[in-house]
């Protein structure tokens, strides 16, 4: 059995006490264990602070090159990482690629962002924000906003569903901004992150201390964070709320970014014709989000809001699409959907599905565990794709409860843009949603009324139906995060993502001196 150690202060640390166990979710066989008990988090922070000073001495171009090196390292070891992601996460090969290739792709994208910044900024560590402006009547007195890296440590805590992408999308942004990282993956699926850290440590690519890994609990780490440090958290709303309230955070102004749960939606307009390409795209998007990673994506569509007259046809088309799904051991050829990742996930998903169904009725699935193809009978955390019909889009648990597994609820509505937008808003803030229509007036109303509730909004119309990325796919060039229950955070978005690790300062003074110091022409 693999013993996952933490990588801290330049060495591997094996904790004491009772370890947490990691299992293969298709067989429930224990494959690894981890504990961080006894780890000296003060030493980890000191080590990170020293590394931060070295990282910030590097130019944008050098940091971009470093990120590119990490991307190449993971790419060279991709097959091994995919195997581990399958073993520990219940992933099909496609699911594992979504995670591991997502990490590799995001590192590549941030290396490119860094190169573009280097071309624009040269060796200057600051990023100008707006223009050097006259502030009062005195012509020589001016001001310039600028961003500079904060001399702090980035603590990252990630969810179980993306052990590769979740860890390294955050890392790419933080490294480019010059922040050293202490990263904690969710323990249950930490095998991939552990191996990626081994590869990093062996490679010597990074300044020592630029990436430290905690396998297990974070002990007293968070209580030690100071005013230049930050916590980027991804996980459930409940854990996010608890971590925001870490003693000392408010007093010391520790920055916190929360990526939490989300009731993403697909909203169909009445003009979408049954059987059209736009219709088929919507059906395909919903089926993919239900089954990819067994529905364990924070961006997965949970609510499908459909004009009343189209509901039965939509359900029929969705069932037809889902008929191609084979639930089972994801290591076996022909299996298209694996189990959910942990025993507690299985419990929560089944309980959640039954709570939703109490307000509606099952179209497919029945809220019970199923056996998986080529998995031991009675073993494995398998759930069948489940579709539930609600009476209406008006209210109910479907707008409150995120069931983090292979399910959607179909919600009939009257087809009006305002009612559609209101249904999206009932999710209380979502990471993303998609609207399907060619009706520009309808799209315009929905765009204005629903966008404040969404981090990302995809307007899918016929001419781009075959070009749009899958709604659940997070692109490094667009922000990821959402208001309200989704946590209110923002990650990625190209250069925008760096602001979390930087300080914006309004520098005021003699415009001539400021111009000279900051290299501003004129
Ligand atoms: P979770 O139970 O909230 O755990 C998330 C992380 O927090 C794990 O690493 C967990 O560590 C850690 N944690 C829990 N208690 C902690 C504490 N007291 N101190 C420090 N760390 C602590 O969430 P999950 O079950 O892993 O993930 C599923 C949820 O994440 C879903 O709600 C999903 O929507 C959300 N999610 C959101 C996004 C997004 O980008 N918005 C992405 C993916 C997932 P242990 O594993 O060691 O307990």
């Amino acid at each position: 059995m693999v013993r996952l150690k933490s990588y801290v202060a330049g060495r591997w640390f094996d904790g004491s006490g009772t370890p947490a166990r990691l299992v293969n979710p298709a067989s429930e066989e224990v494959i690894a264990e981890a504990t961080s008990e006894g780890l000296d988090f003060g030493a980890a922070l000191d080590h990170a602070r020293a590394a931060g000073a070295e990282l910030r001495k590097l130019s944008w171009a050098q940091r971009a090159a470093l990120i590119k090196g990490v991307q190449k390292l993971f790419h060279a070891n991709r097959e091994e990482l995919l195997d581990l992601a399958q073993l520990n996460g219940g992933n099909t090969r496609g699911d594992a690629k979504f995670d591991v290739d997502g990490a590799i792709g995001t590192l590549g994208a941030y290396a490119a962002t860094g190169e573009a910044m280097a071309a624009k900024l040269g060796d200057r560590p600051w990023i100008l924000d707006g223009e050097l402006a006259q502030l009062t009547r005195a012509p020589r007195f001016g001001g310039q906003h600028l961003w500079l890296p904060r001399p702090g440590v980035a603590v990252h805590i990630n969810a179980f569903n993306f052990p590769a992408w979740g860890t390294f999308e955050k890392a790419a942004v933080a490294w480019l901004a010059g922040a050293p990282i202490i990263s904690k993956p969710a323990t249950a699926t930490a095998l991939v992150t552990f191996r990626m850290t081994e590869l990093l440590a062996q490679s010597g690519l990074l300044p020592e201390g630029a990436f430290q890994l905690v396998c297990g609990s974070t002990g007293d780490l968070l209580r030690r964070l100071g005013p230049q440090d930050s916590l980027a958290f991804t996980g459930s709303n409940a854990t996010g709320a608890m971590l925001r309230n870490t003693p000392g955070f408010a007093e010391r102004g520790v920055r916190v970014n929360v990526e939490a749960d989300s009731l993403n939606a697909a909203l169909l307009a009445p003009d979408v014709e049954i059987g059209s390409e736009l219709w088929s795209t919507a059906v395909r998007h919903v089926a993919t989000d239900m089954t990819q990673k067994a529905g364990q994506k924070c961006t997965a569509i949970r609510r499908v809001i459909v004009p009343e007259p189209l509901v039965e046809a939509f359900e029929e088309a969705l069932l037809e699409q889902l008929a191609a799904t084979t639930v089972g051991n994801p290591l076996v050829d022909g299996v298209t959907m694996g189990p959910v990742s942990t025993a507690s996930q299985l419990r929560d998903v089944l309980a959640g599905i039954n709570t939703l169904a109490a307000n509606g009725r099952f179209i497919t699935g029945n809220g019970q565990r199923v056996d998986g193809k080529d998995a031991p009978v009675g073993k494995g955390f398998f759930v069948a794709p489940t579709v539930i019909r609600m009476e209406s889009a008006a209210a109910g648990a479907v707008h409150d409860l995120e069931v983090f597994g292979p399910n959607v609820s179909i919600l009939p509505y009257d087809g009006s843009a305002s009612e559609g937008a209101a249904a999206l808003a009932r999710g209380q803030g979502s990471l993303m949603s998609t609207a399907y229509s060619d009706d520009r007036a309808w799209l315009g109303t929905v765009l204005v009324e629903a966008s404040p509730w969404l981090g990302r909004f995809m307007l899918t119309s016929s001419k781009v139906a075959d070009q749009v990325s899958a709604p659940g796919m997070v692109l490094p060039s667009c922000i990821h995060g959402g208001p309200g229950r989704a946590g209110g955070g923002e990650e990625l978005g190209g250069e925008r993502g760096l602001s979390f690790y930087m300080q914006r300062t309004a520098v005021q003074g003699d415009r001539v001196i400021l111009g000279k110091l900051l290299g501003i022409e004129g």
Side-chain angles (χ1 to χ4, degrees):
M1 189 187 332
V2 184
R3 180 92 177 173
L4 305 192
K5 297 176 187 164
S6 297
Y7 185 66
V8 170
R11 63 189 184 88
W12 291 98
F13 174 85
D14 193 4
S16 53
T18 311
R21 292 181 152 184
L22 287 70
V23 303
N24 173 344
S27 64
E28 301 181 35
E29 180 197 349
V30 179
I31 51 175
E33 56 183 20
T35 165
S36 63
E37 203 176 307
L39 203 159
D40 181 348
F41 287 100
L45 273 175
D46 290 345
H47 194 62
R49 292 194 199 293
E54 294 310 308
L55 262 180
R56 286 187 301 278
K57 279 183 202 154
L58 302 179
S59 65
W60 298 107
Q62 287 169 318
R63 293 204 289 265
L66 186 149
I67 295 167
K68 184 94 193 154
V70 177
Q71 183 223 358
K72 285 186 177 159
L73 173 73
F74 292 157
H75 191 262
N77 292 277
R78 177 174 176 269
E79 289 301 320
E80 182 196 358
L81 296 174
L82 292 175
D83 288 346
L84 294 176
Q86 285 201 260
L87 184 68
N88 187 202
N91 295 301
T92 62
R93 201 74 177 165
D95 294 340
K97 286 180 186 169
F98 199 67
D99 185 23
V100 172
D101 289 347
I104 294 170
T106 306
L107 286 160
Y110 267 91
T113 300
E115 284 158 14
M117 290 174 73
K120 193 170 63 177
L121 303 171
D123 288 342
R124 292 175 195 156
W126 59 82
I127 303 171
L128 298 179
D129 180 340
E131 311 247 298
L132 176 53
Q134 184 177 326
L135 298 177
T136 64
R137 283 194 188 159
R140 288 271 307 226
F141 180 54
Q144 172 70 55
H145 287 89
L146 53 82
W147 294 93
L148 273 163
R150 285 153 56 98
V153 176
V155 174
H156 294 166
I157 296 182
N158 280 299
F160 73 85
N161 54 340
F162 286 107
W165 174 80
T167 302
F168 289 98
E169 54 96 14
K170 283 188 175 65
V173 183
W175 283 330
L176 188 56
I181 297 160
I182 300 177
S183 188
K184 173 191 152 35
T187 311
T189 55
L191 189 57
V192 183
T193 329
F194 170 73
R195 180 63 189 137
M196 291 169 108
T197 308
E198 277 191 327
L199 292 168
L200 274 180
Q202 286 158 8
S203 74
L205 278 169
L206 295 170
E208 183 47 63
F211 187 82
Q212 300 183 76
L213 178 77
V214 177
C215 287
S217 130
T218 49
D220 63 356
L221 172 65
L222 300 185
R223 288 170 185 245
R224 292 173 174 271
L225 299 186
Q228 291 285 327
D229 300 326
S230 55
L231 168 66
F233 167 81
T234 298
S236 63
N237 195 299
T239 310
M242 179 185 67
L243 296 185
R244 271 189 217 277
N245 291 324
T246 300
F249 269 23
E251 292 81 350
R252 294 193 291 278
V254 176
R255 262 191 200 172
V256 181
N257 191 73
V258 171
E259 297 290 341
D261 54 49
S262 179
L263 291 162
N264 316 294
L267 173 66
L268 264 76
D271 67 298
V272 182
E273 282 177 30
I274 296 170
S276 64
E277 192 175 1
L278 192 52
W279 170 270
S280 307
T281 302
V283 173
R284 196 178 62 247
H285 284 168
V286 174
T288 301
D289 270 8
M290 288 179 68
T291 52
Q292 189 174 45
K293 291 194 69 75
Q296 299 166 110
K297 283 197 321 242
C298 53
T299 48
I301 296 164
R302 306 288 176 203
R303 302 173 296 153
V304 189
I305 302 158
V306 183
E308 173 92 57
L310 302 181
V311 163
E312 281 195 10
F314 192 88
E315 286 170 354
E316 211 173 285
L318 183 58
L319 291 188
E320 205 174 298
Q321 187 95 30
L322 290 172
T325 308
T326 303
V327 179
N329 181 350
L331 300 176
V332 170
D333 274 352
V335 166
T336 56
M337 188 177 103
V340 296
S341 294
T342 63
S344 63
Q345 260 292 99
L346 178 67
R347 247 188 339 264
D348 291 352
V349 168
L350 294 180
I353 284 175
N354 285 301
T355 301
L356 294 181
N359 293 293
R361 65 186 169 85
F362 287 114
I363 302 298
T364 184
N366 62 7
Q368 304 291 315
R369 180 197 164 278
V370 294
D371 276 333
K373 180 177 186 292
D374 290 321
V377 175
K379 293 275 182 196
F381 312 133
F382 297 102
V383 180
T386 303
V387 179
I388 299 165
R389 161 95 73 93
M390 298 297 164
E391 291 245 312
S392 79
V398 68
H399 300 297
D400 290 322
L401 180 66
E402 183 204 43
V403 180
F404 206 58
N407 71 105
V408 287
S409 298
I410 310 279
L411 290 75
Y413 82 114
D414 67 8
S416 71
S418 284
E419 189 42 46
L424 295 187
R426 270 177 218 120
Q428 301 153 63
S430 307
L431 293 173
M432 80 89 45
S433 285
T434 309
Y436 300 86
S437 181
D438 287 319
D439 179 338
R440 291 185 189 182
W442 186 94
L443 283 171
T445 302
V446 169
L447 169 72
V448 171
E449 294 183 10
S451 293
W453 294 94
L454 305 172
R456 185 159 59 85
F457 197 8
M458 197 155 98
L459 307 183
T460 308
S461 50
S462 295
K463 293 220 167 114
V464 291
D466 62 346
Q467 295 169 32
V468 293
S469 51
M473 183 183 286
V474 174
L475 300 171
S477 51
C478 289
I479 57 162
H480 172 57
R485 69 172 293 152
E490 242 183 41
E491 284 181 350
L492 299 171
E495 214 178 297
R496 291 175 194 85
L498 274 65
S499 61
F500 182 62
Y501 303 102
M502 303 184 88
Q503 179 63 41
R504 178 163 48 190
T505 305
V507 185
Q508 302 173 334
D510 180 335
R511 288 176 70 182
V512 176
I513 295 179
L514 289 183
K516 289 248 180 305
L517 288 178
L518 299 174
I520 301 167
E521 307 270 315

